[in-house]
């Protein structure tokens, strides 16, 4: 029982899991708390996350990076030009102009939409979550419910694509959340009662997230259990990577001058220098100066011994200005002056860079705060929101009031509009109403009334005259919703109006919850003085009034009254208006499952191939003449084994290089049949040898114990003690003869005596001794017990013990089953947030 949250980043993604105990960051296969958002295709295999990053530079052309910037991108988007300087693989457009990455995979050119690549990444992150959620290794966890971050400026289409990517990965995305809002939740919920009680007294906190590719700033007001976003500003094209790029441009010239090499001509060299600049920036965050070294960069060793932080800062002044503008715009839009800020919390990779800290200090007039964990707060906030949305968890209440980025309009066709409006991209629309203004907070539900006109269409679209919409949304991508309404059932009176309930969901997407036609009709009712039982109680269905009328028939004094009832109207959303068509999603999902299966098969096959290789290397020298297992293998089998090894080895270099799992397995099995058997014979002889030594020691101890007991108890006679001691000593002779027989036997046959035989015999003898020692003191001395009896008792005791163990196992199982059952009556687990 867990849910999780993903902070989806341009560079790194971070995952947090919520379970009974609270919220934890999930680590990846190399125990890192952040995983690079990257997928690299090589031959027939996909390398995702950490493994993809390892192959990035070598395989740049087939590696997809910076995914977040491409979700929903069209090939004619001017943003693509900005992105080209970082882009390493090829892109192309599909017939609708959607961008696809083109890579070489399985020996041919394959194209993937960014959303498909995101699904690959999600699939990988999910394995980390399942690993973390697995408490009992026999039961694999399958956690599907999650919440993922999006930049606040993602459009409705991009948001829908995020859901579709989750679907392709076989996951259930409960909601999306804006990046900085997630950290606002992390900030507000843990402060609990230390926050003021009312909105008026609330504290204004800025959350500044300087990420790899973008900068986001939110001005939030916090009071107990609440967070209201007052303003949200961003620069989607300036983050820490632009600092790297400024350094890189400088270094390109430096390298050209000093070494006469143009790095820009070579993709791989370009990337290596860019990465070296990133490292340099990192070093300069701690030091005033640092070196830049890149070996063998297009045949030269670049070595710039000392580079100053001050130089970097002057090179990056353009980026600093952009970040400053984002913060200052936030101040203005929120209408909050810097004195009225409680603090500005810095998060994201940028908060480690001194010049950015100084910048914030300069704008705010105070040092910024770092109370949130810069790289993990967003994922944590996300996991908390996931728990809030899940019926399985009980989370302290926390309300978020969001601010829309893009104003939304509704448009339709009216019969005779008094003041018609024209929408350039919707020819049949002649009437427009405003659904959401820039200052409206939401989530909310609105009932909008329209004049009635039979079956009709309603459109929702971004306010194309809004400056931000013009800047951020491609023309042609404005429409975000389209609904077809049916005609209502027959009305009793006249229908002049329709009422449509529109839900602006917290994830920023729209939904029509229901639509009704307003039926206005007249009825005759008794004069109110008599009785008013038939008040306009149930306006629900159209049929109800018929009966009402009958009931009123005999009423003496009647008056006419106007009544309203709602007639349900069918609503059909056009789901294909944004995002991929649902058939495509089914196809993508199948393709993803196939690719996943192929990856697994490749890994399994590679492991089997390695097993064959190492078995040959280990066992051939052992079984060859003079090897430690040579004597333990029948001569013909040994010769056969060595021959097989030689053949397999040859085969591995030739036809067997890319063979199937089954072929490797068949060969491994054939070798093991000989090698493992010989090994087993050697081991069991060694074990028997060793066991015989232990046996001797135990027998000596048992004999001594018996002799030492002489005179301790009156009813235990010296005679019987010495007899049993002698018997124990005699057992050693038995052991010697057994060993001798083993040594005499052919080594190529199974050993006649095993360690288990010695163990059994030792236990038997020890029990015999103990029996004498613990003989109950009877009034008259008893005779020594006969062997068969002892044996029977022993067996009985062993049986009893087994039964006890079994019972214990059963109890343990019952206990484990219990938590699973608890889930059914839906107890809500408290998430510990303190
Ligand atoms: C995020 O921000 C956008 C734009 O400001 C808004 O429409 C949306 O409701 C917000 N919330 C979520 C969960 O995306
Ligand atoms: C950073 O500076 C410290 C001391 O000033 C020095 O010891 C260290 O070597 C420097 N590190 C690098 C990578 O230059
Ligand atoms: C970031 O800002 C700088 C300075 O204005 C600009 O030169 C650069 O192009 C921006 N980065 C991107 C990716 O647009
Ligand atoms: C991204 O993750 C890697 C480790 O996975 C880490 O070394 C690096 O610092 C992270 N980068 C940022 C900007 O957080
Ligand atoms: C965030 O928390 C993790 C784990 O406690 C820690 O390793 C990391 O250094 C923290 N990061 C920051 C920036 O405080
Ligand atoms: C096996 O695959 C590799 C890489 O695809 C290829 O270079 C090699 O020729 C193949 N070998 C055989 C025997 O098919």
């Amino acid at each position: 029982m867990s849910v999780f949250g993903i902070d989806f980043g341009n560079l790194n993604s971070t995952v947090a899991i919520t379970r009974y105990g609270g919220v934890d960051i999930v680590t990846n296969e190399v125990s890192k708390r952040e995983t690079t958002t990257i997928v690299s295709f090589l031959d027939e295999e996909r390398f995702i996350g950490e493994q993809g990053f390892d192959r990035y530079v070598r395989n740049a052309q087939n590696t997809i990076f910076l995914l977040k910037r491409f979700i929903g991108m069209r090939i004619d988007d001017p943003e693509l030009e900005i992105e080209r300087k970082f882009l390493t693989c090829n892109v192309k457009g599909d017939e609708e102009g959607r961008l696809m990455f083109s890579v070489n995979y399985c020996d041919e050119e394959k194209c993937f939409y960014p959303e498909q690549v995101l699904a690959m990444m999600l699939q990988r992150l999910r394995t980390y979550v399942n690993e973390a959620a697995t408490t009992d290794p026999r039961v694999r966890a399958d956690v599907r419910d999650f919440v993922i971050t999006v930049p606040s400026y993602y459009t409705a289409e991009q948001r829908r694509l995020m859901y579709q990517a989750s679907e392709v990965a076989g996951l259930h995305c409960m909601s999306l959340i804006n990046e900085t809002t997630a950290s606002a939740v992390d900030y507000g919920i843990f402060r609990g009662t230390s926050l003021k009680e009312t909105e008026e007294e609330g504290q204004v906190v800025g959350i500044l997230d300087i990420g790899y590719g973008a900068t986001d700033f939110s001005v939030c007001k916090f009071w107990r259990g609440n967070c209201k976003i007052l303003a949200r500003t961003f620069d989607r094209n300036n983050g820490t990577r632009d600092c790297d790029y400024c350094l890189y441009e400088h270094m390109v010239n430096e390298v050209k001058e000093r070494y006469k090499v143009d790095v820009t001509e070579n993709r791989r060299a370009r990337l290596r220098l860019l990465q070296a600049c990133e490292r340099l920036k990192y070093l300069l965050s701690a030091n005033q100066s640092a070196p830049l070294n890149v070996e063998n960069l297009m045949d030269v060793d670049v070595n710039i011994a000392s580079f100053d932080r001050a130089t970097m800062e002057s090179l990056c002044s353009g980026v600093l200005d952009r970040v400053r503008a984002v913060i200052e715009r936030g101040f203005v839009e929120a209408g909050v002056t810097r004195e009225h800020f409680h603090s500005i919390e810095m998060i994201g990779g940028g908060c480690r860079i001194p010049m950015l800290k100084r910048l914030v200090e300069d704008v705010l007039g105070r040092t910024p705060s770092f109370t949130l964990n810069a790289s993990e707060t967003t994922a944590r906030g996300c996991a908390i929101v996931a728990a809030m949305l899940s019926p399985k968890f009980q989370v302290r209440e926390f309300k978020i009031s969001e601010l829309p980025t893009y104003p939304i309009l509704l448009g339709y066709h009216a019969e005779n509009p008094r003041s018609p409006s024209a929408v350039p991209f919707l020819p049949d629309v002649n009437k427009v109403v405003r659904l959401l203004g820039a200052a409206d907070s939401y989530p909310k539900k609105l009932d909008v009334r329209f004049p009635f006109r039979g079956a009709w269409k309603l459109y929702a679209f971004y306010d194309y005259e809004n400056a931000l919409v013009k800047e951020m949304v491609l023309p042609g991508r404005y429409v975000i919703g389209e609904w077809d309404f049916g005609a209502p059932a027959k009305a009793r009176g006249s229908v002049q109006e329709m009422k449509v309930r529109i839900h602006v969901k917290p994830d920023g997407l729209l939904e029509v919850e229901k639509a009704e036609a307003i039926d206005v009709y007249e009825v005759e009712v008794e004069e109110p003085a008599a009785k008013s039982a038939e008040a306009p109680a149930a306006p629900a269905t159209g049929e109800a009034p018929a009966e009402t009328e009958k009931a009123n028939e005999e009423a003496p004094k009647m008056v006419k009254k106007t009544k309203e009832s709602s007639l349900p109207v069918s609503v059909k959303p056009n789901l294909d208006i944004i995002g991929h068509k649902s058939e495509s999603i089914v196809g993508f999902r199948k393709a993803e499952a196939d690719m996943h299966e192929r990856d697994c098969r490749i890994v399994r096959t590679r492991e089997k191939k390695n097993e064959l290789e190492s078995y040959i290397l280990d066992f051939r020298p052992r079984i060859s003449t003079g090897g430690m297992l040579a004597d333990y293998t029948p001569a013909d089998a040994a010769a056969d084994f060595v021959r097989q090894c030689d053949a397999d080895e040859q085969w591995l270099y030739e036809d067997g290089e890319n063979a199937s799992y089954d072929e490797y397995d068949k060969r491994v099995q054939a070798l093991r049949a000989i090698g493992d058997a010989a090994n087993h014979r050697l081991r069991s002889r060694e074990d028997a040898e060793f066991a015989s030594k232990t046996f001797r020691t135990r027998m000596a101890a048992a004999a001594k114990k018996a002799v030492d007991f002489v005179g301790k108890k009156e009813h235990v006679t010296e005679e019987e003690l010495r007899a049993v001691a002698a018997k124990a000593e005699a057992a050693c002779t038995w052991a010697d003869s057994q060993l001798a027989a083993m040594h005499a036997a052919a080594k190529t046959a199974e050993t006649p005596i095993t360690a288990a035989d010695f163990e059994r015999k030792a236990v038997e003898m020890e029990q015999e001794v103990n029996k004498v020692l613990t003989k109950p003191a009877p009034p008259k001395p008893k005779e020594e017990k006969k062997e068969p009896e002892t044996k029977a008792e022993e067996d009985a005791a062993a049986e009893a013990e087994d039964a006890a163990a079994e019972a214990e196992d059963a109890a343990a199982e019952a206990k484990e089953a219990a938590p699973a059952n608890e889930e059914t009556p839906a107890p809500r687990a408290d998430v510990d947030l303190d």
Side-chain angles (χ1 to χ4, degrees), residues 58-324:
R58 269 177 292 147
N59 189 35
Q61 201 158 345
N62 298 311
T63 300
I64 298 169
F65 187 36
L66 297 166
L67 197 50
K68 193 162 91 177
R69 308 185 71 80
F70 291 98
I71 298 292
M73 197 186 263
R74 308 272 154 166
I75 199 75
D76 59 353
D77 194 324
E79 285 290 299
L80 181 55
E81 289 322 305
I82 296 176
E83 212 46 52
R84 284 215 191 261
K85 65 185 185 197
F86 296 101
L87 194 60
T88 55
C89 67
N90 294 323
V91 291
K92 50 165 65 175
D94 73 358
E95 61 275 17
E96 290 174 39
R98 289 181 188 279
L99 177 140
M100 304 182 89
F101 298 107
S102 151
V103 292
N104 189 302
Y105 176 50
C106 295
D107 264 334
E108 51 183 328
E109 190 201 346
K110 284 267 167 60
C111 291
F112 295 105
Y113 291 104
E115 301 76 59
Q116 286 182 279
V117 184
L118 172 58
M120 300 175 193
M121 193 67 209
L122 293 178
Q123 182 88 260
R124 171 53 49 100
L125 297 177
R126 164 202 210 174
T127 61
Y128 305 151
V129 173
N130 285 340
E131 196 70 32
T134 299
T135 39
D136 178 350
R138 286 169 303 181
V139 187
R140 262 187 51 83
D142 188 12
V143 186
R144 285 166 187 273
D145 296 338
F146 77 114
V147 167
I148 187 167
T149 58
V150 289
S152 58
Y153 45 83
Y154 259 22
T155 61
E157 167 152 65
Q158 288 174 301
R159 287 165 189 265
R160 179 152 156 82
L161 290 169
M162 294 296 289
Y163 281 107
Q164 294 189 320
S166 315
E167 220 179 308
V168 173
L171 290 171
H172 174 230
C173 180
M174 295 188 285
S175 184
L176 309 171
I177 185 163
N178 293 318
E179 284 155 355
T180 42
T181 308
S183 15
V185 171
D186 187 33
Y187 181 94
I189 207 160
F190 288 98
R191 277 179 177 66
T193 52
S194 72
L195 293 172
K196 291 286 192 324
E197 256 181 87
T198 63
E199 179 171 357
E200 291 67 43
E201 306 169 295
Q203 64 195 48
V204 176
V205 176
I207 297 182
L208 177 66
D209 180 2
I210 306 178
Y212 187 63
T215 300
D216 281 281
F217 184 51
S218 284
V219 181
C220 315
K221 188 166 207 181
F222 290 98
W223 67 100
R224 202 168 297 170
N226 283 276
C227 168
K228 183 172 183 180
I229 314 289
L230 303 180
R232 189 196 290 292
T233 52
F234 52 84
D235 184 331
R236 66 172 155 166
N237 287 326
N238 258 278
T240 59
R241 72 166 179 172
D242 295 281
C243 298
D244 304 343
Y245 203 80
C246 294
L247 278 177
Y248 163 82
E249 283 183 314
H250 173 84
M251 290 302 174
V252 166
N253 291 328
E254 196 81 11
V255 170
K256 211 181 278 176
E257 249 168 57
R258 290 199 196 191
Y259 303 95
K260 311 279 173 268
V261 165
D262 186 1
V263 169
T264 57
E265 286 168 6
N266 179 311
R267 192 195 305 251
R268 187 162 167 204
R270 228 167 59 203
L271 269 183
R272 289 189 61 210
L273 186 59
L274 190 58
Q275 287 195 333
C277 289
E278 189 177 345
R279 223 166 25 244
L280 177 62
K281 175 193 69 185
Y282 182 75
L283 291 176
L284 288 177
S285 295
N287 274 20
Q288 288 298 335
S289 77
L292 177 117
N293 295 307
V294 194
E295 276 176 23
N296 197 10
L297 190 74
M298 298 174 79
D299 300 327
V300 299
D301 287 344
V302 172
N303 177 5
I304 290 164
S306 170
F307 188 83
D308 285 344
R309 184 194 281 180
T311 317
M312 170 174 86
E313 296 187 349
S314 69
L315 289 172
C316 296
S317 65
V319 181
L320 291 180
D321 291 343
R322 303 273 293 236
V323 174
R324 174 190 291 271

Side-chain angles (χ1 to χ4, degrees), residues 11-14 28 30 32-37 50 53 210-212 240 278 281-282 348-350 352 374-375:
L11 173 63
N12 286 334
S13 293
T14 309
N28 65 16
V30 290
K32 286 192 183 162
R33 299 166 77 89
E34 295 175 80
T35 300
T36 309
T37 312
E50 202 62 43
F53 190 66
I210 306 178
Y212 187 63
T240 59
E278 189 177 345
K281 175 193 69 185
Y282 182 75
R352 298 184 200 132
S375 54

